[in-house]
Amino acid sequence: MSDCVNSSGDITASLPEDWKTLLQGEFSSDYFAALQAFLAQEMKAHQVFPPEEKIFAAFGLTPYAKVKVLLLGQDPYHDDGQAHGLCFSVMPGVKLPPSLRNMFKELDADLGIPCSDNGCLEHWAKQGVLLLNTVLTVRAHEAASHQGRGWEQFTDAVIRVVNNRAEPVVFVLWGGHAQKKAVLIDSSRHVVISGAHPSPLSAYRGFFGSRPFSKINQALIQSGYSPVDWKIPDSQPQLSLF
Protein backbone atom coordinates (compact mmCIF):
# COMPACT_ATOMS: atom_id res chain seq x y z
CA MET A 1 0.00 0.00 0.00
CA SER A 2 1.13 3.58 -0.57
CA ASP A 3 0.20 6.26 1.94
CA CYS A 4 1.12 8.99 -0.53
CA VAL A 5 -1.38 11.79 0.10
CA ASN A 6 -0.33 14.35 2.71
CA SER A 7 -2.53 15.17 5.69
CA SER A 8 -4.35 17.98 3.88
CA GLY A 9 -5.22 15.70 0.98
CA ASP A 10 -3.68 18.27 -1.36
CA ILE A 11 -1.57 16.57 -4.02
CA THR A 12 -0.33 19.97 -5.22
CA ALA A 13 1.70 20.53 -2.05
CA SER A 14 4.90 19.54 -3.88
CA LEU A 15 4.16 21.69 -6.95
CA PRO A 16 6.55 24.68 -7.04
CA GLU A 17 5.03 28.11 -6.50
CA ASP A 18 5.76 29.43 -10.00
CA TRP A 19 3.81 26.62 -11.63
CA LYS A 20 1.13 26.66 -8.91
CA THR A 21 0.41 30.33 -9.59
CA LEU A 22 0.12 29.75 -13.33
CA LEU A 23 -2.16 26.73 -12.89
CA GLN A 24 -4.22 27.91 -9.93
CA GLY A 25 -7.42 28.04 -11.97
CA GLU A 26 -7.26 24.26 -12.40
CA PHE A 27 -7.28 23.54 -8.68
CA SER A 28 -10.77 24.95 -8.11
CA SER A 29 -12.28 22.96 -10.97
CA ASP A 30 -14.63 20.02 -10.58
CA TYR A 31 -12.35 17.71 -12.56
CA PHE A 32 -9.40 18.40 -10.27
CA ALA A 33 -11.45 17.81 -7.13
CA ALA A 34 -12.56 14.48 -8.62
CA LEU A 35 -8.94 13.65 -9.53
CA GLN A 36 -7.76 14.33 -5.98
CA ALA A 37 -10.55 12.19 -4.53
CA PHE A 38 -9.71 9.38 -6.93
CA LEU A 39 -6.01 9.52 -6.06
CA ALA A 40 -6.69 9.57 -2.33
CA GLN A 41 -8.71 6.37 -2.67
CA GLU A 42 -6.16 4.75 -4.99
CA MET A 43 -3.29 5.49 -2.64
CA LYS A 44 -5.16 3.94 0.28
CA ALA A 45 -6.03 0.78 -1.62
CA HIS A 46 -3.07 0.30 -3.97
CA GLN A 47 0.55 1.11 -4.57
CA VAL A 48 0.81 4.15 -6.82
CA PHE A 49 3.79 5.36 -8.84
CA PRO A 50 5.60 7.68 -8.63
CA PRO A 51 5.57 8.41 -4.88
CA GLU A 52 3.66 11.57 -3.97
CA GLU A 53 6.73 13.73 -3.51
CA LYS A 54 7.83 12.89 -7.06
CA ILE A 55 4.54 13.42 -8.92
CA PHE A 56 5.53 16.97 -9.86
CA ALA A 57 9.30 16.40 -10.01
CA ALA A 58 9.53 17.68 -13.58
CA PHE A 59 8.17 21.05 -12.49
CA GLY A 60 10.68 21.36 -9.66
CA LEU A 61 13.63 20.63 -11.93
CA THR A 62 12.42 22.89 -14.75
CA PRO A 63 11.02 26.24 -13.56
CA TYR A 64 8.52 27.89 -15.86
CA ALA A 65 10.85 30.75 -16.74
CA LYS A 66 13.55 28.28 -17.80
CA VAL A 67 11.47 26.06 -20.14
CA LYS A 68 12.97 25.97 -23.62
CA VAL A 69 11.93 22.42 -24.65
CA LEU A 70 8.79 20.47 -23.75
CA LEU A 71 9.18 16.74 -24.40
CA LEU A 72 5.85 14.99 -24.04
CA GLY A 73 5.44 11.44 -22.80
CA GLN A 74 2.25 9.57 -21.99
CA ASP A 75 2.06 7.35 -18.90
CA PRO A 76 4.50 6.84 -15.99
CA TYR A 77 6.38 3.57 -15.82
CA HIS A 78 4.38 1.11 -13.73
CA ASP A 79 7.00 -1.30 -12.40
CA ASP A 80 8.86 -1.06 -9.08
CA GLY A 81 11.47 1.68 -8.79
CA GLN A 82 11.02 3.12 -12.26
CA ALA A 83 8.81 6.23 -12.26
CA HIS A 84 10.18 9.34 -10.60
CA GLY A 85 8.18 12.13 -12.20
CA LEU A 86 10.04 12.70 -15.49
CA CYS A 87 8.81 11.20 -18.76
CA PHE A 88 11.01 8.41 -20.14
CA SER A 89 13.45 8.72 -17.20
CA VAL A 90 14.45 6.14 -14.60
CA MET A 91 16.72 6.52 -11.59
CA PRO A 92 20.34 5.28 -11.64
CA GLY A 93 20.55 1.55 -11.08
CA VAL A 94 17.24 0.83 -12.82
CA LYS A 95 17.33 -1.16 -16.06
CA LEU A 96 16.64 0.99 -19.11
CA PRO A 97 13.08 0.57 -20.42
CA PRO A 98 12.88 -0.19 -24.17
CA SER A 99 11.79 3.31 -25.28
CA LEU A 100 14.60 4.97 -23.36
CA ARG A 101 17.10 2.46 -24.73
CA ASN A 102 15.97 3.37 -28.24
CA MET A 103 16.27 7.07 -27.44
CA PHE A 104 19.87 6.54 -26.40
CA LYS A 105 20.57 4.52 -29.57
CA GLU A 106 19.28 7.40 -31.67
CA LEU A 107 21.23 9.92 -29.59
CA ASP A 108 24.41 8.01 -30.37
CA ALA A 109 23.56 7.79 -34.06
CA ASP A 110 22.52 11.44 -34.21
CA LEU A 111 25.21 13.19 -32.18
CA GLY A 112 27.74 10.47 -31.39
CA ILE A 113 26.90 10.57 -27.69
CA PRO A 114 27.33 7.09 -26.19
CA CYS A 115 24.92 5.66 -23.65
CA SER A 116 25.58 6.51 -20.02
CA ASP A 117 25.58 3.93 -17.24
CA ASN A 118 22.10 5.11 -16.21
CA GLY A 119 18.81 6.44 -17.57
CA CYS A 120 18.25 9.41 -15.27
CA LEU A 121 17.27 12.43 -17.40
CA GLU A 122 17.48 15.03 -14.63
CA HIS A 123 20.50 16.53 -16.43
CA TRP A 124 18.20 17.40 -19.34
CA ALA A 125 15.49 18.77 -17.06
CA LYS A 126 17.89 21.12 -15.29
CA GLN A 127 18.79 22.63 -18.66
CA GLY A 128 15.21 23.64 -19.45
CA VAL A 129 13.75 20.44 -20.92
CA LEU A 130 10.34 19.93 -19.31
CA LEU A 131 9.87 16.16 -19.30
CA LEU A 132 6.08 16.00 -19.07
CA ASN A 133 3.83 12.96 -19.12
CA THR A 134 0.18 13.53 -20.05
CA VAL A 135 -0.82 11.35 -17.07
CA LEU A 136 1.22 11.82 -13.89
CA THR A 137 0.38 8.71 -11.83
CA VAL A 138 -0.31 5.02 -12.37
CA ARG A 139 -1.35 2.03 -10.26
CA ALA A 140 1.57 -0.34 -9.74
CA HIS A 141 1.89 -2.97 -12.48
CA GLU A 142 -1.26 -1.77 -14.29
CA ALA A 143 -0.34 0.29 -17.34
CA ALA A 144 -2.62 3.24 -18.18
CA SER A 145 -4.71 2.61 -15.06
CA HIS A 146 -5.00 6.35 -14.25
CA GLN A 147 -5.86 7.51 -17.74
CA GLY A 148 -9.16 9.33 -18.15
CA ARG A 149 -9.28 10.45 -14.51
CA GLY A 150 -8.42 14.12 -15.03
CA TRP A 151 -4.67 14.24 -15.44
CA GLU A 152 -5.05 14.85 -19.18
CA GLN A 153 -7.01 18.04 -18.54
CA PHE A 154 -4.37 19.23 -16.09
CA THR A 155 -1.43 18.54 -18.40
CA ASP A 156 -3.29 20.16 -21.30
CA ALA A 157 -3.36 23.26 -19.08
CA VAL A 158 0.39 22.91 -18.57
CA ILE A 159 0.92 22.80 -22.34
CA ARG A 160 -1.26 25.90 -22.70
CA VAL A 161 0.69 27.94 -20.14
CA VAL A 162 3.97 26.95 -21.79
CA ASN A 163 2.47 27.91 -25.13
CA ASN A 164 1.65 31.31 -23.60
CA ARG A 165 5.31 32.06 -22.92
CA ALA A 166 6.56 35.11 -24.80
CA GLU A 167 9.81 33.30 -25.59
CA PRO A 168 9.84 30.50 -28.16
CA VAL A 169 9.73 26.89 -26.95
CA VAL A 170 10.54 23.67 -28.82
CA PHE A 171 7.69 21.17 -28.41
CA VAL A 172 8.67 17.54 -29.09
CA LEU A 173 5.72 15.29 -29.94
CA TRP A 174 6.61 11.64 -30.53
CA GLY A 175 3.81 9.30 -31.59
CA GLY A 176 0.13 9.78 -32.29
CA HIS A 177 -0.89 10.41 -28.68
CA ALA A 178 1.51 13.33 -28.28
CA GLN A 179 0.83 14.68 -31.76
CA LYS A 180 -2.83 15.21 -30.86
CA LYS A 181 -1.65 17.97 -28.52
CA ALA A 182 -0.39 20.05 -31.45
CA VAL A 183 -3.76 21.86 -31.49
CA LEU A 184 -2.77 23.46 -28.15
CA ILE A 185 0.42 24.94 -29.59
CA ASP A 186 0.86 28.13 -31.63
CA SER A 187 3.31 26.91 -34.25
CA SER A 188 3.74 30.45 -35.59
CA ARG A 189 5.60 31.34 -32.37
CA HIS A 190 7.00 27.99 -31.29
CA VAL A 191 8.80 25.09 -32.96
CA VAL A 192 7.00 21.74 -33.11
CA ILE A 193 9.09 18.64 -33.80
CA SER A 194 6.87 15.62 -34.48
CA GLY A 195 7.91 12.07 -35.23
CA ALA A 196 7.52 8.39 -34.50
CA HIS A 197 7.56 7.21 -30.91
CA PRO A 198 10.77 5.52 -29.66
CA SER A 199 8.89 2.45 -28.42
CA PRO A 200 9.87 -0.92 -29.94
CA LEU A 201 6.54 -0.94 -31.81
CA SER A 202 7.35 2.18 -33.81
CA ALA A 203 11.06 2.99 -33.50
CA TYR A 204 11.86 1.25 -36.79
CA ARG A 205 8.97 3.04 -38.49
CA GLY A 206 10.54 6.46 -38.38
CA PHE A 207 12.12 7.21 -35.01
CA PHE A 208 15.50 5.73 -35.86
CA GLY A 209 17.22 8.06 -38.27
CA SER A 210 15.00 11.06 -37.47
CA ARG A 211 17.84 12.90 -35.66
CA PRO A 212 15.53 14.64 -33.17
CA PHE A 213 18.26 15.71 -30.78
CA SER A 214 20.23 17.67 -33.35
CA LYS A 215 16.96 19.16 -34.68
CA ILE A 216 16.07 20.35 -31.18
CA ASN A 217 19.47 21.95 -30.73
CA GLN A 218 19.33 23.62 -34.14
CA ALA A 219 15.94 25.10 -33.26
CA LEU A 220 17.24 26.31 -29.90
CA ILE A 221 20.25 28.00 -31.46
CA GLN A 222 18.05 29.69 -34.05
CA SER A 223 15.88 30.98 -31.20
CA GLY A 224 18.85 32.40 -29.33
CA TYR A 225 19.19 29.67 -26.70
CA SER A 226 22.17 27.55 -25.83
CA PRO A 227 21.85 23.96 -27.09
CA VAL A 228 21.07 21.11 -24.72
CA ASP A 229 24.00 19.04 -23.50
CA TRP A 230 22.38 15.65 -24.07
CA LYS A 231 25.16 13.56 -22.52
CA ILE A 232 23.91 11.96 -19.30
CA PRO A 233 26.58 12.03 -16.58
CA ASP A 234 27.60 8.60 -15.35
CA SER A 235 26.23 7.77 -11.93
CA GLN A 236 29.50 6.11 -10.98
CA PRO A 237 32.70 8.11 -11.48
CA GLN A 238 35.15 6.52 -13.84
CA LEU A 239 38.35 5.44 -12.14
CA SER A 240 41.54 6.86 -13.58
CA LEU A 241 44.23 4.35 -14.59
CA PHE A 242 46.93 6.89 -13.81
Side-chain angles (χ1 to χ4, degrees), residues 63-81:
Y64 178 74
K66 299 293 186 183
V67 177
K68 59 187 183 183
V69 178
L70 190 155
L71 175 56
L72 192 63
Q74 185 169 355
D75 207 47
Y77 297 127
H78 56 84
D79 284 337
D80 297 324

PDB file of all heavy atoms in Angstrom, residues 63-81:
ATOM      1  N   PRO A  63      11.912  25.110 -13.844  1.00  0.00           N
ATOM      2  CA  PRO A  63      11.023  26.241 -13.558  1.00  0.00           C
ATOM      3  C   PRO A  63      10.403  26.791 -14.841  1.00  0.00           C
ATOM      4  O   PRO A  63      10.997  26.701 -15.927  1.00  0.00           O
ATOM      5  CB  PRO A  63      11.972  27.273 -12.920  1.00  0.00           C
ATOM      6  CG  PRO A  63      13.132  26.480 -12.415  1.00  0.00           C
ATOM      7  CD  PRO A  63      13.288  25.339 -13.372  1.00  0.00           C
ATOM      8  N   TYR A  64       9.241  27.375 -14.698  1.00  0.00           N
ATOM      9  CA  TYR A  64       8.518  27.891 -15.865  1.00  0.00           C
ATOM     10  C   TYR A  64       9.367  28.848 -16.691  1.00  0.00           C
ATOM     11  O   TYR A  64       9.400  28.767 -17.926  1.00  0.00           O
ATOM     12  CB  TYR A  64       7.246  28.594 -15.400  1.00  0.00           C
ATOM     13  CG  TYR A  64       6.441  29.208 -16.530  1.00  0.00           C
ATOM     14  CD1 TYR A  64       5.697  28.403 -17.395  1.00  0.00           C
ATOM     15  CD2 TYR A  64       6.414  30.588 -16.723  1.00  0.00           C
ATOM     16  CE1 TYR A  64       4.951  28.958 -18.424  1.00  0.00           C
ATOM     17  CE2 TYR A  64       5.666  31.153 -17.747  1.00  0.00           C
ATOM     18  CZ  TYR A  64       4.942  30.335 -18.600  1.00  0.00           C
ATOM     19  OH  TYR A  64       4.207  30.886 -19.619  1.00  0.00           O
ATOM     20  N   ALA A  65      10.066  29.739 -16.029  1.00  0.00           N
ATOM     21  CA  ALA A  65      10.852  30.751 -16.742  1.00  0.00           C
ATOM     22  C   ALA A  65      12.029  30.156 -17.495  1.00  0.00           C
ATOM     23  O   ALA A  65      12.614  30.828 -18.356  1.00  0.00           O
ATOM     24  CB  ALA A  65      11.340  31.818 -15.758  1.00  0.00           C
ATOM     25  N   LYS A  66      12.383  28.912 -17.190  1.00  0.00           N
ATOM     26  CA  LYS A  66      13.555  28.277 -17.804  1.00  0.00           C
ATOM     27  C   LYS A  66      13.183  27.296 -18.915  1.00  0.00           C
ATOM     28  O   LYS A  66      14.071  26.730 -19.560  1.00  0.00           O
ATOM     29  CB  LYS A  66      14.368  27.533 -16.738  1.00  0.00           C
ATOM     30  CG  LYS A  66      14.901  28.422 -15.623  1.00  0.00           C
ATOM     31  CD  LYS A  66      15.948  29.393 -16.121  1.00  0.00           C
ATOM     32  CE  LYS A  66      16.571  30.166 -14.959  1.00  0.00           C
ATOM     33  NZ  LYS A  66      17.560  31.169 -15.448  1.00  0.00           N
ATOM     34  N   VAL A  67      11.874  27.059 -19.139  1.00  0.00           N
ATOM     35  CA  VAL A  67      11.471  26.060 -20.136  1.00  0.00           C
ATOM     36  C   VAL A  67      11.874  26.523 -21.531  1.00  0.00           C
ATOM     37  O   VAL A  67      11.509  27.605 -21.978  1.00  0.00           O
ATOM     38  CB  VAL A  67       9.951  25.811 -20.105  1.00  0.00           C
ATOM     39  CG1 VAL A  67       9.561  24.823 -21.200  1.00  0.00           C
ATOM     40  CG2 VAL A  67       9.518  25.263 -18.745  1.00  0.00           C
ATOM     41  N   LYS A  68      12.654  25.693 -22.218  1.00  0.00           N
ATOM     42  CA  LYS A  68      12.969  25.967 -23.619  1.00  0.00           C
ATOM     43  C   LYS A  68      12.595  24.792 -24.522  1.00  0.00           C
ATOM     44  O   LYS A  68      12.489  24.943 -25.739  1.00  0.00           O
ATOM     45  CB  LYS A  68      14.434  26.346 -23.802  1.00  0.00           C
ATOM     46  CG  LYS A  68      15.463  25.321 -23.342  1.00  0.00           C
ATOM     47  CD  LYS A  68      16.866  25.921 -23.445  1.00  0.00           C
ATOM     48  CE  LYS A  68      17.953  24.929 -23.074  1.00  0.00           C
ATOM     49  NZ  LYS A  68      19.303  25.546 -23.100  1.00  0.00           N
ATOM     50  N   VAL A  69      12.393  23.612 -23.925  1.00  0.00           N
ATOM     51  CA  VAL A  69      11.931  22.421 -24.646  1.00  0.00           C
ATOM     52  C   VAL A  69      10.854  21.756 -23.802  1.00  0.00           C
ATOM     53  O   VAL A  69      10.992  21.671 -22.579  1.00  0.00           O
ATOM     54  CB  VAL A  69      13.080  21.411 -24.888  1.00  0.00           C
ATOM     55  CG1 VAL A  69      12.563  20.158 -25.605  1.00  0.00           C
ATOM     56  CG2 VAL A  69      14.223  22.041 -25.670  1.00  0.00           C
ATOM     57  N   LEU A  70       9.776  21.308 -24.432  1.00  0.00           N
ATOM     58  CA  LEU A  70       8.790  20.469 -23.754  1.00  0.00           C
ATOM     59  C   LEU A  70       8.743  19.148 -24.503  1.00  0.00           C
ATOM     60  O   LEU A  70       8.341  19.097 -25.671  1.00  0.00           O
ATOM     61  CB  LEU A  70       7.413  21.133 -23.725  1.00  0.00           C
ATOM     62  CG  LEU A  70       6.355  20.456 -22.831  1.00  0.00           C
ATOM     63  CD1 LEU A  70       5.283  21.448 -22.389  1.00  0.00           C
ATOM     64  CD2 LEU A  70       5.689  19.269 -23.513  1.00  0.00           C
ATOM     65  N   LEU A  71       9.197  18.097 -23.838  1.00  0.00           N
ATOM     66  CA  LEU A  71       9.178  16.743 -24.400  1.00  0.00           C
ATOM     67  C   LEU A  71       8.025  15.996 -23.744  1.00  0.00           C
ATOM     68  O   LEU A  71       7.993  15.844 -22.517  1.00  0.00           O
ATOM     69  CB  LEU A  71      10.509  16.035 -24.124  1.00  0.00           C
ATOM     70  CG  LEU A  71      10.629  14.568 -24.537  1.00  0.00           C
ATOM     71  CD1 LEU A  71      10.320  14.367 -26.012  1.00  0.00           C
ATOM     72  CD2 LEU A  71      12.029  14.041 -24.217  1.00  0.00           C
ATOM     73  N   LEU A  72       7.092  15.542 -24.558  1.00  0.00           N
ATOM     74  CA  LEU A  72       5.848  14.994 -24.036  1.00  0.00           C
ATOM     75  C   LEU A  72       5.837  13.473 -24.077  1.00  0.00           C
ATOM     76  O   LEU A  72       5.978  12.860 -25.139  1.00  0.00           O
ATOM     77  CB  LEU A  72       4.669  15.545 -24.845  1.00  0.00           C
ATOM     78  CG  LEU A  72       3.266  15.310 -24.273  1.00  0.00           C
ATOM     79  CD1 LEU A  72       3.108  16.020 -22.934  1.00  0.00           C
ATOM     80  CD2 LEU A  72       2.215  15.802 -25.258  1.00  0.00           C
ATOM     81  N   GLY A  73       5.660  12.873 -22.903  1.00  0.00           N
ATOM     82  CA  GLY A  73       5.445  11.437 -22.798  1.00  0.00           C
ATOM     83  C   GLY A  73       3.972  11.166 -22.532  1.00  0.00           C
ATOM     84  O   GLY A  73       3.125  12.050 -22.621  1.00  0.00           O
ATOM     85  N   GLN A  74       3.662   9.929 -22.153  1.00  0.00           N
ATOM     86  CA  GLN A  74       2.255   9.567 -21.989  1.00  0.00           C
ATOM     87  C   GLN A  74       1.933   9.114 -20.574  1.00  0.00           C
ATOM     88  O   GLN A  74       1.219   9.798 -19.852  1.00  0.00           O
ATOM     89  CB  GLN A  74       1.873   8.484 -22.995  1.00  0.00           C
ATOM     90  CG  GLN A  74       0.399   8.132 -22.986  1.00  0.00           C
ATOM     91  CD  GLN A  74      -0.004   7.244 -24.170  1.00  0.00           C
ATOM     92  OE1 GLN A  74       0.787   6.968 -25.053  1.00  0.00           O
ATOM     93  NE2 GLN A  74      -1.254   6.824 -24.193  1.00  0.00           N
ATOM     94  N   ASP A  75       2.450   7.973 -20.164  1.00  0.00           N
ATOM     95  CA  ASP A  75       2.065   7.354 -18.904  1.00  0.00           C
ATOM     96  C   ASP A  75       3.325   7.058 -18.104  1.00  0.00           C
ATOM     97  O   ASP A  75       4.344   6.658 -18.686  1.00  0.00           O
ATOM     98  CB  ASP A  75       1.317   6.037 -19.208  1.00  0.00           C
ATOM     99  CG  ASP A  75       0.336   5.664 -18.120  1.00  0.00           C
ATOM    100  OD1 ASP A  75      -0.426   6.538 -17.687  1.00  0.00           O
ATOM    101  OD2 ASP A  75       0.330   4.493 -17.710  1.00  0.00           O
ATOM    102  N   PRO A  76       3.314   7.223 -16.773  1.00  0.00           N
ATOM    103  CA  PRO A  76       4.496   6.841 -15.992  1.00  0.00           C
ATOM    104  C   PRO A  76       4.779   5.344 -16.098  1.00  0.00           C
ATOM    105  O   PRO A  76       3.878   4.531 -16.320  1.00  0.00           O
ATOM    106  CB  PRO A  76       4.102   7.209 -14.554  1.00  0.00           C
ATOM    107  CG  PRO A  76       2.968   8.173 -14.682  1.00  0.00           C
ATOM    108  CD  PRO A  76       2.242   7.778 -15.933  1.00  0.00           C
ATOM    109  N   TYR A  77       6.033   4.989 -15.930  1.00  0.00           N
ATOM    110  CA  TYR A  77       6.376   3.568 -15.824  1.00  0.00           C
ATOM    111  C   TYR A  77       5.649   2.966 -14.633  1.00  0.00           C
ATOM    112  O   TYR A  77       5.475   3.617 -13.604  1.00  0.00           O
ATOM    113  CB  TYR A  77       7.884   3.400 -15.635  1.00  0.00           C
ATOM    114  CG  TYR A  77       8.728   3.895 -16.788  1.00  0.00           C
ATOM    115  CD1 TYR A  77       9.774   4.794 -16.570  1.00  0.00           C
ATOM    116  CD2 TYR A  77       8.508   3.443 -18.089  1.00  0.00           C
ATOM    117  CE1 TYR A  77      10.579   5.237 -17.618  1.00  0.00           C
ATOM    118  CE2 TYR A  77       9.304   3.883 -19.141  1.00  0.00           C
ATOM    119  CZ  TYR A  77      10.339   4.782 -18.900  1.00  0.00           C
ATOM    120  OH  TYR A  77      11.126   5.218 -19.931  1.00  0.00           O
ATOM    121  N   HIS A  78       5.245   1.691 -14.756  1.00  0.00           N
ATOM    122  CA  HIS A  78       4.377   1.111 -13.726  1.00  0.00           C
ATOM    123  C   HIS A  78       5.024  -0.021 -12.947  1.00  0.00           C
ATOM    124  O   HIS A  78       4.360  -0.671 -12.137  1.00  0.00           O
ATOM    125  CB  HIS A  78       3.061   0.621 -14.347  1.00  0.00           C
ATOM    126  CG  HIS A  78       3.241  -0.361 -15.467  1.00  0.00           C
ATOM    127  ND1 HIS A  78       3.410  -1.703 -15.241  1.00  0.00           N
ATOM    128  CD2 HIS A  78       3.286  -0.190 -16.805  1.00  0.00           C
ATOM    129  CE1 HIS A  78       3.547  -2.328 -16.394  1.00  0.00           C
ATOM    130  NE2 HIS A  78       3.471  -1.425 -17.374  1.00  0.00           N
ATOM    131  N   ASP A  79       6.318  -0.263 -13.172  1.00  0.00           N
ATOM    132  CA  ASP A  79       7.000  -1.300 -12.396  1.00  0.00           C
ATOM    133  C   ASP A  79       7.816  -0.684 -11.264  1.00  0.00           C
ATOM    134  O   ASP A  79       8.129   0.509 -11.272  1.00  0.00           O
ATOM    135  CB  ASP A  79       7.889  -2.161 -13.307  1.00  0.00           C
ATOM    136  CG  ASP A  79       7.076  -3.152 -14.130  1.00  0.00           C
ATOM    137  OD1 ASP A  79       5.945  -3.485 -13.719  1.00  0.00           O
ATOM    138  OD2 ASP A  79       7.566  -3.581 -15.191  1.00  0.00           O
ATOM    139  N   ASP A  80       8.198  -1.531 -10.304  1.00  0.00           N
ATOM    140  CA  ASP A  80       8.862  -1.059  -9.084  1.00  0.00           C
ATOM    141  C   ASP A  80      10.126  -0.263  -9.398  1.00  0.00           C
ATOM    142  O   ASP A  80      10.968  -0.690 -10.202  1.00  0.00           O
ATOM    143  CB  ASP A  80       9.239  -2.248  -8.191  1.00  0.00           C
ATOM    144  CG  ASP A  80       8.013  -3.008  -7.711  1.00  0.00           C
ATOM    145  OD1 ASP A  80       6.989  -2.355  -7.443  1.00  0.00           O
ATOM    146  OD2 ASP A  80       8.081  -4.244  -7.604  1.00  0.00           O
ATOM    147  N   GLY A  81      10.238   0.898  -8.740  1.00  0.00           N
ATOM    148  CA  GLY A  81      11.470   1.676  -8.786  1.00  0.00           C
ATOM    149  C   GLY A  81      11.726   2.448 -10.056  1.00  0.00           C
ATOM    150  O   GLY A  81      12.785   3.052 -10.206  1.00  0.00           O
TER     151      GLY A  81
END
